Amino acid sequence: MIKVALLHFGFEDYTIELANSLAKYVDLTVIHPKKLSDVCRDAFDPSIRVITFNKPRIRDPRNVLSMNAMMRIIKDIQPDVLHVQETNDPWYDWTLLLNRMPTLVTTIHDVFRHPGDKVAVFGSEYTRRIAFYRSQQLIVHTDQLKKILIEQFNLPEGRVNVIPHGELGSLYQRRGDRNNQPRDPNTLLFFGRIWPYKGLKYLLEAMPLIAERVPQVKLIIAGRGENINQYFPNGYDENRYEIINRLISLEEVGNLFQRSTLTVLPYIEASQSGVAALSYGMGTLVVASDIGGLSEIVQHKKDGLLVPPRDAQALSDAIVCLLSDRDLQQKMRTAALARCQQDLNWSNIAAQTVEVYQKAMKTIN
């Protein structure tokens, strides 16, 4: 059995679901900073060893000690494969450059940082490329990201593997309060970090157009990021909008998706989307911009609707179309849940990931 160390500094939901499915195929140890322990507590399969290390904030020079501790853990495990969930941490990137590593597989969730994303670390845009070149194999979630890595970073095609982002609905159903919220037939959800690339502006432009045809429509905006007041300079109608402008607790997330009929992703740039992965698993329909990785995740007219980005009229038409047609909703919900047993199924994703490990080990031998 292959011995694998799975290292992550974030992307907790993805790591939990991947690890639990990988545990059936490999001898698995998860390594992560102590601060992630609360999020991941009790979420991992009991057969998985979990080792933590202290990780200060990025600007803290004690990161040198932290990286030494991380390397000691990796050396003690002596894994056949080290699988890293891509990080924006320059300390890790420099450690990767300066140390001899085991066979390395890296999952790249976003090749470039998103426009307007103010949480990215200074310099990480350059240092994170070290992982592109030091890894024996890379995993991305869409063909579009594979194409970028091959064309813009001159990586060989055989080193970049496309494995979809698995569904996250079942994880949040396990985390929820077990109270099945009735689904409100006219409620839309905009969920996640509120940055310019998420295109909230265009959804707000579409709302009056939707309300003309579906007067009961309501939009929940849930997440943190930019100051939400800039989108509502004259205030807002509390019957039309419910705004939760903060970090959403894990227990709350499932309830928000259960309450909503539609998740709207009016993004103006996208690589992949955990929000779409969560929507599908929760049986919440998706209307999204036909852009980047979203064009591959959402199968237009089968399990969701795609619209041109920055087009409030097209967005409102698609939303009204779905809200007004219960049969179409049911058909798309059934198709989305079926995909959760197919390409978005974690067991299938874990099996494909093990194939990438085998490929990486062959490369180095």
Side-chain angles (χ1 to χ4, degrees), residues 235-250:
Y236 61 88
D237 177 355
E238 291 186 6
N239 295 319
R240 181 79 67 211
Y241 300 97
E242 179 180 339
I243 296 177
I244 312 168
N245 190 203
R246 57 174 167 77
L247 181 66
I248 312 298
S249 76
L250 297 177

PDB file of all heavy atoms in Angstrom, residues 235-250:
ATOM      1  N   GLY A 235     -29.240  52.161   1.309  1.00  0.00           N
ATOM      2  CA  GLY A 235     -29.922  51.167   2.150  1.00  0.00           C
ATOM      3  C   GLY A 235     -30.607  50.117   1.277  1.00  0.00           C
ATOM      4  O   GLY A 235     -30.513  50.145   0.051  1.00  0.00           O
ATOM      5  N   TYR A 236     -31.290  49.169   1.915  1.00  0.00           N
ATOM      6  CA  TYR A 236     -31.930  48.096   1.144  1.00  0.00           C
ATOM      7  C   TYR A 236     -33.230  47.656   1.809  1.00  0.00           C
ATOM      8  O   TYR A 236     -33.456  47.883   2.998  1.00  0.00           O
ATOM      9  CB  TYR A 236     -30.972  46.903   0.972  1.00  0.00           C
ATOM     10  CG  TYR A 236     -30.524  46.265   2.265  1.00  0.00           C
ATOM     11  CD1 TYR A 236     -31.267  45.231   2.858  1.00  0.00           C
ATOM     12  CD2 TYR A 236     -29.364  46.690   2.915  1.00  0.00           C
ATOM     13  CE1 TYR A 236     -30.865  44.650   4.042  1.00  0.00           C
ATOM     14  CE2 TYR A 236     -28.954  46.100   4.101  1.00  0.00           C
ATOM     15  CZ  TYR A 236     -29.703  45.085   4.656  1.00  0.00           C
ATOM     16  OH  TYR A 236     -29.320  44.507   5.836  1.00  0.00           O
ATOM     17  N   ASP A 237     -34.078  47.040   1.018  1.00  0.00           N
ATOM     18  CA  ASP A 237     -35.366  46.533   1.481  1.00  0.00           C
ATOM     19  C   ASP A 237     -35.139  45.187   2.176  1.00  0.00           C
ATOM     20  O   ASP A 237     -34.736  44.216   1.544  1.00  0.00           O
ATOM     21  CB  ASP A 237     -36.280  46.371   0.251  1.00  0.00           C
ATOM     22  CG  ASP A 237     -37.636  45.781   0.606  1.00  0.00           C
ATOM     23  OD1 ASP A 237     -37.848  45.404   1.786  1.00  0.00           O
ATOM     24  OD2 ASP A 237     -38.485  45.672  -0.307  1.00  0.00           O
ATOM     25  N   GLU A 238     -35.412  45.131   3.465  1.00  0.00           N
ATOM     26  CA  GLU A 238     -35.145  43.904   4.233  1.00  0.00           C
ATOM     27  C   GLU A 238     -36.069  42.758   3.850  1.00  0.00           C
ATOM     28  O   GLU A 238     -35.790  41.609   4.171  1.00  0.00           O
ATOM     29  CB  GLU A 238     -35.237  44.201   5.737  1.00  0.00           C
ATOM     30  CG  GLU A 238     -34.085  45.091   6.188  1.00  0.00           C
ATOM     31  CD  GLU A 238     -34.048  45.310   7.686  1.00  0.00           C
ATOM     32  OE1 GLU A 238     -34.844  44.673   8.409  1.00  0.00           O
ATOM     33  OE2 GLU A 238     -33.214  46.128   8.128  1.00  0.00           O
ATOM     34  N   ASN A 239     -37.165  43.058   3.181  1.00  0.00           N
ATOM     35  CA  ASN A 239     -38.028  41.973   2.688  1.00  0.00           C
ATOM     36  C   ASN A 239     -37.440  41.326   1.434  1.00  0.00           C
ATOM     37  O   ASN A 239     -37.760  40.187   1.103  1.00  0.00           O
ATOM     38  CB  ASN A 239     -39.435  42.495   2.364  1.00  0.00           C
ATOM     39  CG  ASN A 239     -40.136  42.980   3.618  1.00  0.00           C
ATOM     40  OD1 ASN A 239     -40.035  42.332   4.660  1.00  0.00           O
ATOM     41  ND2 ASN A 239     -40.807  44.120   3.526  1.00  0.00           N
ATOM     42  N   ARG A 240     -36.600  42.082   0.736  1.00  0.00           N
ATOM     43  CA  ARG A 240     -36.030  41.611  -0.525  1.00  0.00           C
ATOM     44  C   ARG A 240     -34.630  41.017  -0.327  1.00  0.00           C
ATOM     45  O   ARG A 240     -34.227  40.117  -1.055  1.00  0.00           O
ATOM     46  CB  ARG A 240     -35.955  42.795  -1.510  1.00  0.00           C
ATOM     47  CG  ARG A 240     -35.410  42.468  -2.870  1.00  0.00           C
ATOM     48  CD  ARG A 240     -36.398  41.797  -3.778  1.00  0.00           C
ATOM     49  NE  ARG A 240     -37.496  42.626  -4.180  1.00  0.00           N
ATOM     50  CZ  ARG A 240     -38.727  42.175  -4.442  1.00  0.00           C
ATOM     51  NH1 ARG A 240     -38.988  40.878  -4.314  1.00  0.00           N
ATOM     52  NH2 ARG A 240     -39.700  42.980  -4.808  1.00  0.00           N
ATOM     53  N   TYR A 241     -33.888  41.538   0.659  1.00  0.00           N
ATOM     54  CA  TYR A 241     -32.497  41.118   0.870  1.00  0.00           C
ATOM     55  C   TYR A 241     -32.266  40.700   2.317  1.00  0.00           C
ATOM     56  O   TYR A 241     -32.717  41.372   3.240  1.00  0.00           O
ATOM     57  CB  TYR A 241     -31.525  42.270   0.542  1.00  0.00           C
ATOM     58  CG  TYR A 241     -31.609  42.749  -0.885  1.00  0.00           C
ATOM     59  CD1 TYR A 241     -32.380  43.866  -1.221  1.00  0.00           C
ATOM     60  CD2 TYR A 241     -30.930  42.085  -1.905  1.00  0.00           C
ATOM     61  CE1 TYR A 241     -32.473  44.308  -2.535  1.00  0.00           C
ATOM     62  CE2 TYR A 241     -31.014  42.523  -3.222  1.00  0.00           C
ATOM     63  CZ  TYR A 241     -31.792  43.634  -3.530  1.00  0.00           C
ATOM     64  OH  TYR A 241     -31.889  44.058  -4.833  1.00  0.00           O
ATOM     65  N   GLU A 242     -31.554  39.601   2.467  1.00  0.00           N
ATOM     66  CA  GLU A 242     -31.076  39.194   3.792  1.00  0.00           C
ATOM     67  C   GLU A 242     -29.559  39.170   3.701  1.00  0.00           C
ATOM     68  O   GLU A 242     -28.990  38.420   2.893  1.00  0.00           O
ATOM     69  CB  GLU A 242     -31.611  37.801   4.148  1.00  0.00           C
ATOM     70  CG  GLU A 242     -31.145  37.289   5.496  1.00  0.00           C
ATOM     71  CD  GLU A 242     -31.688  35.899   5.813  1.00  0.00           C
ATOM     72  OE1 GLU A 242     -32.709  35.488   5.227  1.00  0.00           O
ATOM     73  OE2 GLU A 242     -31.057  35.205   6.625  1.00  0.00           O
ATOM     74  N   ILE A 243     -28.905  40.002   4.501  1.00  0.00           N
ATOM     75  CA  ILE A 243     -27.456  40.160   4.373  1.00  0.00           C
ATOM     76  C   ILE A 243     -26.756  39.664   5.642  1.00  0.00           C
ATOM     77  O   ILE A 243     -27.046  40.119   6.745  1.00  0.00           O
ATOM     78  CB  ILE A 243     -27.097  41.630   4.069  1.00  0.00           C
ATOM     79  CG1 ILE A 243     -27.692  41.994   2.694  1.00  0.00           C
ATOM     80  CG2 ILE A 243     -25.587  41.831   4.069  1.00  0.00           C
ATOM     81  CD1 ILE A 243     -27.508  43.402   2.274  1.00  0.00           C
ATOM     82  N   ILE A 244     -25.858  38.705   5.444  1.00  0.00           N
ATOM     83  CA  ILE A 244     -25.080  38.153   6.557  1.00  0.00           C
ATOM     84  C   ILE A 244     -23.609  38.400   6.194  1.00  0.00           C
ATOM     85  O   ILE A 244     -22.955  37.560   5.585  1.00  0.00           O
ATOM     86  CB  ILE A 244     -25.357  36.635   6.742  1.00  0.00           C
ATOM     87  CG1 ILE A 244     -26.859  36.351   6.727  1.00  0.00           C
ATOM     88  CG2 ILE A 244     -24.740  36.130   8.038  1.00  0.00           C
ATOM     89  CD1 ILE A 244     -27.218  34.878   6.606  1.00  0.00           C
ATOM     90  N   ASN A 245     -23.123  39.608   6.550  1.00  0.00           N
ATOM     91  CA  ASN A 245     -21.801  40.057   6.087  1.00  0.00           C
ATOM     92  C   ASN A 245     -20.730  39.717   7.134  1.00  0.00           C
ATOM     93  O   ASN A 245     -20.214  40.572   7.832  1.00  0.00           O
ATOM     94  CB  ASN A 245     -21.857  41.565   5.819  1.00  0.00           C
ATOM     95  CG  ASN A 245     -20.621  42.094   5.111  1.00  0.00           C
ATOM     96  OD1 ASN A 245     -20.315  43.270   5.183  1.00  0.00           O
ATOM     97  ND2 ASN A 245     -19.886  41.221   4.423  1.00  0.00           N
ATOM     98  N   ARG A 246     -20.420  38.421   7.237  1.00  0.00           N
ATOM     99  CA  ARG A 246     -19.415  37.945   8.197  1.00  0.00           C
ATOM    100  C   ARG A 246     -19.000  36.540   7.790  1.00  0.00           C
ATOM    101  O   ARG A 246     -19.552  35.981   6.838  1.00  0.00           O
ATOM    102  CB  ARG A 246     -19.994  37.936   9.617  1.00  0.00           C
ATOM    103  CG  ARG A 246     -21.248  37.102   9.755  1.00  0.00           C
ATOM    104  CD  ARG A 246     -21.726  36.986  11.196  1.00  0.00           C
ATOM    105  NE  ARG A 246     -23.072  36.456  11.297  1.00  0.00           N
ATOM    106  CZ  ARG A 246     -23.417  35.184  11.156  1.00  0.00           C
ATOM    107  NH1 ARG A 246     -22.489  34.264  10.865  1.00  0.00           N
ATOM    108  NH2 ARG A 246     -24.678  34.785  11.268  1.00  0.00           N
ATOM    109  N   LEU A 247     -18.050  35.986   8.533  1.00  0.00           N
ATOM    110  CA  LEU A 247     -17.682  34.592   8.305  1.00  0.00           C
ATOM    111  C   LEU A 247     -18.863  33.722   8.711  1.00  0.00           C
ATOM    112  O   LEU A 247     -19.398  33.862   9.809  1.00  0.00           O
ATOM    113  CB  LEU A 247     -16.453  34.244   9.145  1.00  0.00           C
ATOM    114  CG  LEU A 247     -15.936  32.808   9.001  1.00  0.00           C
ATOM    115  CD1 LEU A 247     -15.413  32.562   7.588  1.00  0.00           C
ATOM    116  CD2 LEU A 247     -14.847  32.530  10.018  1.00  0.00           C
ATOM    117  N   ILE A 248     -19.297  32.845   7.823  1.00  0.00           N
ATOM    118  CA  ILE A 248     -20.455  31.992   8.100  1.00  0.00           C
ATOM    119  C   ILE A 248     -19.968  30.731   8.815  1.00  0.00           C
ATOM    120  O   ILE A 248     -19.053  30.060   8.329  1.00  0.00           O
ATOM    121  CB  ILE A 248     -21.188  31.612   6.789  1.00  0.00           C
ATOM    122  CG1 ILE A 248     -21.422  32.850   5.922  1.00  0.00           C
ATOM    123  CG2 ILE A 248     -22.490  30.886   7.089  1.00  0.00           C
ATOM    124  CD1 ILE A 248     -22.282  33.922   6.519  1.00  0.00           C
ATOM    125  N   SER A 249     -20.580  30.413   9.957  1.00  0.00           N
ATOM    126  CA  SER A 249     -20.142  29.226  10.699  1.00  0.00           C
ATOM    127  C   SER A 249     -20.474  27.962   9.902  1.00  0.00           C
ATOM    128  O   SER A 249     -21.395  27.944   9.091  1.00  0.00           O
ATOM    129  CB  SER A 249     -20.819  29.167  12.068  1.00  0.00           C
ATOM    130  OG  SER A 249     -22.166  28.754  11.921  1.00  0.00           O
ATOM    131  N   LEU A 250     -19.690  26.913  10.159  1.00  0.00           N
ATOM    132  CA  LEU A 250     -19.859  25.660   9.408  1.00  0.00           C
ATOM    133  C   LEU A 250     -21.279  25.121   9.551  1.00  0.00           C
ATOM    134  O   LEU A 250     -21.853  24.577   8.609  1.00  0.00           O
ATOM    135  CB  LEU A 250     -18.866  24.613   9.913  1.00  0.00           C
ATOM    136  CG  LEU A 250     -17.380  24.963   9.721  1.00  0.00           C
ATOM    137  CD1 LEU A 250     -16.489  23.892  10.318  1.00  0.00           C
ATOM    138  CD2 LEU A 250     -17.053  25.160   8.253  1.00  0.00           C
TER     139      LEU A 250
END
